[in-house]
């Protein structure tokens, strides 16, 4: 119902003027220090249970970040990852299982997510916990590391397949105050990592007692 004049007046000043300054100030709220073992929420009319085993992810500027992302790929970053094998391929407990990551220039979040029918809730949660426990205790294998490096390189190639994708990545990098070649330097650092270096990061970053199980269950 707005007229053109009204819309013009309301929108004036909403966006800052464009400049050539590449540095954009980003203000983040303080992170919560609490790490509870469990959070549960009920929702009406659910016929499945939804799980997210959540922990902290290092900032994209952290020296451990390249190793963390390779570990994430092995744990739940592709169709043949450990979570997919344990929760989908082996016994068909679920259609989907993955390790989702929210990234920023401050510590973010990793969530090991899955879902299953209500009568399978306890079984699938046990498997989810077991996958993380084993990953933390034993780390990954050399074959998994090799495949994770190839997976990262392949994903980055997809991110360059269209002008829109390249522009989106440039905008994100500049909004976060990162250099335009940040992605390329991260991948180069990841490709140079050894198995021992990766497994040390897994031991530090994927401790099960540093994760919170979030359940969405039927009311």
């Amino acid at each position: 119902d707005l007229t053109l004049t009204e819309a013009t007046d309301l929108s004036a000043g909403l966006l800052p003027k464009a400049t050539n300054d590449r540095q954009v100030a980003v203000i983040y709220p303080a992170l919560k220090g609490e790490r509870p073992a469990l959070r549960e929420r009920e929702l009406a009319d659910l016929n499945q249970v939804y799980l997210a085993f959540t922990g902290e992810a290092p900032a994209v500027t952290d020296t451990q970040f390249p190793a963390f992302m390779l570990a994430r790929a092995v744990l739940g970053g592709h169709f043949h990852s450990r979570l997919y094998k344990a929760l989908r391929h082996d016994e068909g407990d679920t259609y989907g299982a993955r390790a989702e990551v929210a990234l920023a220039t401050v510590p973010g979040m990793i969530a090991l997510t899955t879902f299953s029918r209500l009568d399978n809730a306890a079984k699938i949660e046990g498997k989810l916990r077991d996958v993380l426990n084993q990953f933390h205790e034993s780390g990954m294998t050399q074959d998994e590391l090799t495949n994770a490096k190839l997976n990262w390189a392949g994903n980055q190639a997809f991110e360059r397949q269209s002008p829109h994708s390249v522009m989106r990545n440039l905008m994100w990098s500049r909004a976060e105050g990162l250099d335009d070649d940040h992605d390329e330097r991260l991948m180069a650092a990841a490709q140079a990592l050894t198995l021992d270096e990766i497994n040390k990061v897994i031991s530090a970053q994927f401790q099960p007692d540093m994760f919170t199980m979030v359940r969405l269950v039927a009311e």
Side-chain angles (χ1 to χ4, degrees), residues 33-186:
E34 179 187 8
R35 173 55 67 184
L38 174 67
R39 282 286 184 265
E40 186 169 281
R41 179 74 179 269
E42 294 182 351
L43 193 64
D45 301 322
L46 279 186
N47 57 13
Q48 296 188 109
V49 61
Y50 293 82
L51 303 174
F53 206 15
T54 64
E56 186 177 288
V60 296
T61 52
D62 193 303
T63 56
Q64 292 189 332
F65 181 78
F68 180 88
M69 289 302 288
L70 289 173
R72 174 253 175 184
V74 171
L75 185 58
H78 56 78
F79 192 68
H80 296 287
S81 65
R82 293 197 181 188
L83 285 175
Y84 259 101
K85 184 179 186 303
L87 301 173
R88 174 173 171 161
H89 302 324
D90 285 354
E91 296 184 281
D93 292 293
T94 183
Y95 182 78
R98 58 185 53 86
E100 303 173 3
V101 184
L103 305 176
T105 50
V106 293
M109 180 191 72
I110 182 170
L112 314 182
T113 64
T114 191
F115 55 89
S116 189
R117 63 189 187 278
L118 291 175
D119 62 2
N120 201 43
K123 178 182 176 183
I124 199 171
E125 181 174 330
K127 287 187 177 183
L128 188 62
R129 292 180 182 275
D130 287 346
V131 169
L132 183 61
N133 287 339
Q134 185 176 6
F135 193 60
H136 172 250
E137 291 172 4
S138 303
M140 69 172 70
T141 67
Q142 185 61 55
D143 284 346
E144 287 176 324
L145 174 56
T146 299
N147 290 332
K149 289 180 178 181
L150 291 172
N151 180 265
W152 189 326
N155 286 337
Q156 192 166 94
F158 274 111
E159 289 296 319
R160 298 172 180 168
Q161 67 179 340
S162 72
H164 173 74
S165 296
V166 174
M167 179 63 71
R168 183 185 60 210
N169 288 338
L170 284 173
M171 288 190 298
W172 185 84
S173 295
R174 294 193 177 194
E176 296 290 337
L178 302 171
D179 294 332
D180 291 347
D181 65 346
H182 181 72
D183 286 346
E184 288 81 0
R185 289 190 289 106
L186 279 179

Side-chain angles (χ1 to χ4, degrees), residues 181-201:
D181 65 346
H182 181 72
D183 286 346
E184 288 81 0
R185 289 190 289 106
L186 279 179
M187 188 176 74
Q191 298 297 328
L193 287 167
T194 67
L195 183 63
D196 285 343
E197 291 171 330
I198 293 279
N199 284 337
K200 286 179 181 178
V201 172

